[in-house]
Amino acid sequence: MDEDTGERGLGRRERDILALERRGFSGPGAKERAIREELDLAPVRYYQLLNALLDDARALAHDPVTVNRLRRVRERRRSER
């Protein structure tokens, strides 16, 4: 089994994105700062990757609580439009 990708599992970056989503952030800009500093990603790219992860069965298997919570948030925002 490969440490970075697992056997047909999530890669390190994907796991790190989900881990960041499990955390709480205090104050404005704290999450965006963590995205840049810890993941070396622009926030726009981070959210693109996160959105794709929400539709990935591997992400659901890895962290069902976080993925289902974020799916609910996404659906609520879509329905408000």
Side-chain angles (χ1 to χ4, degrees):
M1 190 152 108
D2 181 11
E3 182 180 315
D4 283 339
T5 61
E7 189 172 313
R8 293 175 29 207
L10 295 175
R12 178 173 301 281
R13 175 175 276 180
E14 295 158 320
R15 292 190 312 266
D16 290 346
I17 288 171
L18 290 174
L20 194 121
E21 282 299 318
R22 284 192 300 270
R23 292 168 36 194
F25 292 94
S26 61
K31 183 175 183 179
E32 285 71 18
R33 191 168 34 259
I35 290 167
R36 290 183 188 280
E37 293 174 2
E38 297 173 25
L39 302 178
D40 195 30
L41 287 170
V44 169
R45 181 65 180 141
Y46 170 85
Y47 288 110
Q48 289 171 339
L49 293 170
L50 175 61
N51 197 48
L53 268 176
L54 297 184
D55 297 322
D56 190 326
R58 298 170 306 153
L60 183 61
H62 176 77
D63 191 346
V65 173
T66 300
V67 171
N68 282 323
R69 176 179 57 83
L70 293 171
R71 283 178 174 179
R72 285 191 303 272
V73 169
R74 180 175 68 178
E75 287 306 313
R76 186 172 62 243
R77 287 183 180 156
R78 284 181 178 168
S79 68
E80 290 172 358
R81 292 182 190 162

